[in-house]
Amino acid sequence: MQVLCDIRNFKYLIQNNKSMIENFFNLSYVCLSRGDTICNFNHLAKICEYFFRKEPGLCINFIIHYNFPFRLIQNAEFEYVHHLLLILFNCSEQSLDIGEVPFNKMSRYCIYTNFFLELTNINLN
């Protein structure tokens, strides 16, 4: 994570490994699909947020493709997971201008998948 914090390092990594973000989401999906996964979702959410800040359009596509919001709410006991969800819906105190197209994609995804209904059910139970 420390290497990614420097913008020059991030640009260098992206230039030399164009699929780094895709690999992150793919490997996260594979790990989270296993029933016996033990990991700190705070770290996962922070890395996801970092990539999201750098490449919001690309990350939204992977977040939707891998059904990431549902995986996150299954592990909502981690503090940073809540923060990431707020960022995805542009409700965080640290505003992030992700653009209208990615925001609309995320909104449509949540409507079509009944994400908000599932989120409400988890919070009420």
Side-chain angles (χ1 to χ4, degrees):
M1 184 67 182
Q2 189 67 24
V3 170
L4 296 175
C5 291
D6 183 11
I7 191 68
R8 289 176 296 161
N9 289 344
F10 179 77
K11 286 180 181 178
Y12 179 74
L13 286 170
I14 292 295
Q15 286 174 350
N16 291 311
N17 187 2
K18 302 252 186 241
S19 61
M20 182 175 66
I21 295 173
E22 180 179 4
N23 289 341
F24 167 75
F25 281 102
N26 184 31
L27 291 173
S28 297
Y29 172 77
V30 169
C31 290
L32 297 176
S33 295
R34 297 179 50 201
D36 60 345
T37 303
I38 299 173
C39 74
N40 186 336
F41 279 84
N42 286 326
H43 296 300
L44 186 74
K46 287 179 184 179
I47 293 171
C48 187
E49 178 197 353
Y50 179 80
F51 286 143
F52 186 71
R53 288 185 182 278
K54 300 297 181 190
E55 297 286 338
L58 182 63
C59 286
I60 285 289
N61 290 337
F62 288 125
I63 286 168
I64 290 170
H65 177 74
Y66 291 114
N67 219 11
F68 230 65
F70 285 97
R71 306 229 181 260
L72 291 173
I73 63 172
Q74 291 172 351
N75 297 284
E77 67 270 9
F78 291 94
E79 175 186 347
Y80 216 78
V81 169
H82 293 278
H83 180 70
L84 180 61
L85 288 171
L86 290 173
I87 287 173
L88 290 176
F89 297 111
N90 214 12
C91 298
S92 176
E93 293 174 359
Q94 302 170 349
S95 68
L96 175 65
D97 185 24
I98 64 170
E100 189 174 333
V101 174
F103 180 74
N104 287 339
K105 277 185 183 180
M106 193 66 192
S107 298
R108 283 195 313 268
Y109 162 81
C110 291
I111 291 168
Y112 294 147
T113 60
N114 292 323
F115 174 76
F116 295 118
L117 179 65
E118 187 70 27
L119 183 61
T120 303
N121 286 337
I122 287 174
N123 285 332
L124 291 176
N125 292 332

